Amino acid sequence: MMSGKTREECLKFLRNEGYIIEPGQKFTVDYFKPEDALGVARLYYAVYGEMFPIDYVYDPEAIVSINAGDDLFQAVGRTPRGDVVGLYALFRSAPGLRIMEGGSWMVHPDYRKTSVGLRLARKIHSKPPEHLGLEVIFGQSVCDHVTSQKLGKLINGHHCALEVEPMPPRPGDPDSYGRISLLDGIVLLNNRHNKVYLPARYKSQLKTIYSWLDLDRNFLESDICDKNQVSASVTEVAVKPVGDAGVVKIEVESVGADFAECLAEVEQEYSGIHAYQLILSLSCPESSFAVETARKSGFFFGGLLPLWFDKDALLMQKISKKPDFTRPLIYTEEGKSVLSMVESDWKAIQL
């Protein structure tokens, strides 16, 4: 959502303004107020430059508008001058109604040795707004440093998936790190019973991840492995390009006999993309068929996404270049285990 201003108009203002936040100011942690919007845009610009793939974060009017609804809930670290030196938010990234993503977790470079990051996360996670009806808070940690991974552990987060290199390099990166991998995780708020169909190929990996999360699940076998066994003829799919990141999300809530053709059509329409992320509902008895079909097209294991559709989902992914699995910096043992699972399956599909 934008205010009527284009992304370039917003960036031009921030670029020309050249605003500098004075270091060493005292701050308080509070929920977002409309007067914080310009400070939020300035913070995004200070941390990400012009490279953040979502347009509205640079547009103060759009930030105010979105905060007025139920799709975004922000907390800020605010100085007496009104500067925003830290940010944390809940926002909608999944189609499920009982899940929101906790993210936009950033601290101004001059305030990274303060407590603002942890205080912001604890403020939102300790008591999310009841009207949102959340059961899970989803989160992502960058893997070019471990700070956000450490903070995630302090708020009882658990890692359950690894997205291989979906983020463009940071602007002006002196070490030329390259594209950045993301660890996906959750904070569980309400443990409601659910059933899942485990695809045979990834049964062991998924059960290992479930054991960390302590979710109340009834595991069922997915024994549909052939197109002729699939009851539905048409796949229910939502395709979502992710800004300028060179990533396309392919969300499949119901698998049809046309799944292979559907996947091929998406890849053809979005040819030249760096990464395709396939999110398959595990409420589908056809999960084994979908997994084997996707692997034939080069997709490999990514991990588990609890309650993505208000039902659990499996992440698979395909990237255009050979990944560098030595690059991700992983802090938790859970994260290291997921990285090992992902790398092993990527190697297996190369054979």
Side-chain angles (χ1 to χ4, degrees):
M1 177 187 295
M2 296 290 282
S3 65
K5 297 185 181 72
T6 66
R7 176 188 179 96
E8 180 52 37
E9 286 173 333
C10 294
L11 288 172
K12 182 179 179 180
F13 170 81
L14 293 167
R15 189 186 308 130
N16 292 340
E17 181 190 38
Y19 189 83
I20 297 175
I21 294 176
E22 183 180 327
Q25 299 179 67
K26 293 182 178 180
F27 58 83
T28 57
V29 169
D30 193 12
Y31 294 133
F32 173 87
K33 297 178 181 179
E35 54 265 35
D36 297 319
L38 178 56
V40 170
R42 287 169 172 164
L43 182 62
Y44 270 99
Y45 193 78
V47 173
Y48 289 99
E50 302 185 9
M51 300 300 293
F52 199 81
I54 308 300
D55 292 347
Y56 81 82
V57 303
Y58 297 114
D59 186 339
E61 291 180 36
I63 292 169
V64 171
S65 176
I66 298 174
N67 267 285
D70 288 339
D71 291 336
L72 181 68
F73 188 85
Q74 292 181 326
V76 301
R78 185 190 306 117
T79 74
R81 296 181 181 178
D83 293 328
V84 174
V85 298
L87 179 72
Y88 192 73
L90 296 176
F91 52 90
R92 302 282 179 189
S93 59
L97 298 177
R98 302 201 300 271
I99 178 174
M100 289 182 77
E101 182 170 350
S104 303
W105 199 354
M106 70 187 80
V107 176
H108 189 278
D110 291 331
Y111 288 79
R112 287 178 181 164
K113 293 184 179 180
T114 72
S115 64
V116 64
L118 181 58
R119 288 170 59 188
L120 284 166
R122 282 181 167 164
K123 185 171 184 66
I124 282 188
H125 283 264
S126 62
K127 194 175 181 181
E130 291 185 7
H131 71 277
L132 296 175
L134 301 183
E135 295 188 7
V136 158
I137 295 177
F138 170 76
Q140 296 181 309
S141 297
V142 293
C143 296
D144 59 339
H145 62 74
V146 298
T147 302
S148 56
Q149 297 174 47
K150 289 180 178 180
L151 288 170
K153 194 172 179 65
L154 290 173
I155 56 172
N156 300 317
H158 291 277
H159 292 128
C160 50
L162 177 73
E163 301 178 21
V164 178
E165 301 174 358
M167 270 187 66
R170 294 188 188 277
D173 181 1
D175 297 322
S176 300
Y177 180 93
R179 293 187 70 95
I180 300 167
S181 294
L182 298 172
L183 267 177
D184 295 342
I186 64 164
V187 173
L188 183 63
L189 304 175
N190 182 22
N191 196 354
R192 185 179 300 187
H193 177 77
N194 233 321
K195 67 179 182 180
V196 296
Y197 287 90
L198 295 177
R201 173 77 64 173
Y202 299 139
K203 180 177 179 180
S204 175
Q205 295 94 319
L206 290 171
K207 280 198 168 183
T208 296
I209 296 172
Y210 272 114
S211 72
W212 308 330
L213 307 180
D214 196 29
L215 288 163
D216 183 9
R217 295 294 184 263
N218 179 21
F219 297 125
L220 302 173
E221 299 288 340
S222 172
D223 54 6
I224 298 176
C225 300
D226 186 86
K227 176 178 179 178
N228 295 325
Q229 297 174 295
V230 178
S231 57
S233 59
V234 178
T235 299
E236 293 182 18
V237 61
V239 181
K240 301 177 179 178
V242 182
D244 297 324
V247 178
V248 170
K249 290 185 182 292
I250 308 165
E251 296 177 334
V252 177
E253 196 162 359
S254 177
V255 175
D258 68 339
F259 178 70
E261 293 80 4
C262 181
L263 201 55
E265 287 175 4
V266 173
E267 290 192 57
Q268 183 177 9
E269 181 178 357
Y270 294 94
S271 61
I273 289 294
H274 174 76
Y276 302 92
Q277 296 181 341
L278 176 61
I279 303 175
L280 294 166
S281 173
L282 289 175
S283 65
C284 294
E286 302 86 359
S287 63
S288 282
F289 163 71
V291 164
E292 298 306 320
T293 302
R295 289 181 94 255
K296 291 175 183 175
S297 294
F299 284 82
F300 57 95
F301 184 77
L304 177 68
L305 300 177
L307 292 180
W308 192 261
F309 299 102
D310 288 335
K311 303 285 186 178
D312 297 350
L314 167 72
L315 172 67
M316 297 182 70
Q317 53 199 323
K318 177 179 180 179
I319 64 176
S320 61
K321 298 180 180 178
K322 181 181 178 181
D324 186 348
F325 289 106
T326 68
R327 282 285 190 180
L329 303 176
I330 309 294
Y331 175 71
T332 67
E333 292 305 313
E334 293 171 357
K336 292 174 184 177
S337 294
V338 173
L339 172 61
S340 178
M341 296 174 191
V342 172
E343 183 177 5
S344 294
D345 199 51
W346 179 83
K347 288 179 177 177
I349 67 169
Q350 309 307 309
L351 300 177

